[in-house]
Amino acid sequence: MRLLLVEDDDRVAAALVAVLGRHGFQVRHARSGHEALDALVPDGNEPYRVVLLDLGLPDRDGFEVCSRIRAGSGVPVIMVTARADIRSRIHGLNLGADDYVVKPYDMGELLARIHAVARRGTAGTPAENTETPTGPLESRGVVIDRERRRVTVEGRDVALTRKEFDLLALLAQSPGVVYRREQIFSEVWRSGWEGNGRTLEVHIGSLRTKLGLPGLVEAVRGVGYRLIPDLPADSGEAGR
């Protein structure tokens, strides 16, 4: 997930970039409002999913930057600032910020808020084009009918639990892309990751068994899981 961090303090930014990087974010750091607005000009790359916006910038006020972002983009904005007074909070939200976080903050809470706004965000595209697709997903003979919540493998119905279905549908949205464990828990269980690692392992194992494709979902050590879109030619699953 690409994220734009707008922060004039290099020391604060470096620490935050390091933590966000460990949680799977591709972070671009902008040190001023001008850099931030320039970074949001479409350039053919994947759009930013979230902007973390400090209000104390050297060239212009963060509130003005938020207004200009909102005028030209639907990308979710989280204001991250030391300004804790209620008037600033209300002003920021009225300008179109999607969330408002006061420094110092808990990193786990900030990550949860990033995922929350990204889920309901517009990812930098016009609102009318951002509805979540609901058509069937298909990969390697596995067809996931999200409207009927039905899964088939080579035409054979496979009965999944609600969480197993949601987990498979999430991974199948972007085959090959690694979903971090924290993100999976946020998306599927609507809860935090801490202390729930065994639950995810059990559901992944059950999915592999029920689908009869043990290599379909790959664990990426220390990070999370991804759905493998194509089998290697010499895979034991090839030809099933």
Side-chain angles (χ1 to χ4, degrees):
M1 181 190 304
R2 290 188 80 204
L3 184 150
L4 178 62
L5 170 63
V6 189
E7 169 62 64
D8 68 322
D9 188 321
D10 284 342
R11 188 178 61 177
V12 172
L16 195 50
V17 168
V19 174
L20 291 169
R22 289 198 296 273
H23 285 79
F25 293 96
Q26 301 173 35
V27 183
R28 176 170 175 176
H29 174 207
R31 294 174 176 80
S32 67
H34 176 77
E35 283 187 37
L37 295 172
D38 185 62
L40 289 169
V41 175
D43 58 1
N45 293 317
E46 177 188 349
Y48 294 102
R49 296 286 302 278
V50 175
V51 175
L52 296 183
L53 176 62
D54 184 27
L55 296 180
L57 300 174
D59 58 343
R60 62 188 71 190
D61 190 86
F63 289 127
E64 179 192 348
V65 176
C66 180
S67 293
R68 296 188 61 175
I69 291 174
R70 190 53 67 236
S73 170
V75 62
V77 175
I78 301 177
M79 290 182 171
V80 183
T81 176
R83 301 181 194 176
D85 59 286
I86 191 64
R87 291 186 61 184
S88 293
R89 291 171 183 259
I90 293 172
H91 187 46
L93 295 171
N94 283 339
L95 287 174
D98 297 84
D99 203 348
Y100 193 104
V101 176
V102 176
K103 299 175 181 177
Y105 48 79
D106 178 84
M107 194 61 209
E109 181 183 358
L110 179 62
L111 289 168
R113 290 177 181 273
I114 291 171
H115 286 303
V117 299
R119 280 198 300 273
R120 62 177 185 261
T122 56
T125 57
E128 57 271 25
N129 295 328
T130 59
E131 290 186 5
T132 301
T134 57
L137 298 170
E138 183 170 5
S139 182
R140 292 173 45 181
V142 180
V143 178
I144 305 164
D145 187 334
R146 288 174 289 186
E147 292 186 344
R148 296 178 176 82
R149 297 185 66 83
R150 179 190 179 202
V151 173
T152 60
V153 178
E154 303 294 351
R156 170 180 60 88
D157 280 307
V158 177
L160 300 179
T161 66
R162 182 166 62 89
K163 292 301 184 188
E164 289 168 352
F165 181 92
D166 292 342
L167 174 57
L168 179 63
L170 173 66
L171 297 176
Q173 285 182 14
S174 300
V177 173
V178 178
Y179 284 80
R180 300 190 67 84
R181 293 168 299 185
E182 298 90 337
Q183 182 182 3
I184 293 173
F185 255 85
S186 177
E187 300 270 354
V188 176
W189 275 268
R190 307 293 182 188
S191 67
W193 152 256
E194 293 77 11
N196 291 313
R198 182 60 181 158
T199 299
L200 182 55
E201 291 177 8
V202 169
H203 280 74
I204 291 289
S206 180
L207 265 183
R208 290 168 172 158
T209 300
K210 289 183 177 181
L211 297 173
L213 295 169
L216 180 67
V217 179
E218 179 185 71
V220 179
R221 186 174 181 181
V223 181
Y225 295 89
R226 65 175 177 174
L227 189 143
I228 303 299
D230 298 305
L231 286 173
D234 59 352
S235 169
E237 295 177 27
R240 285 191 181 190

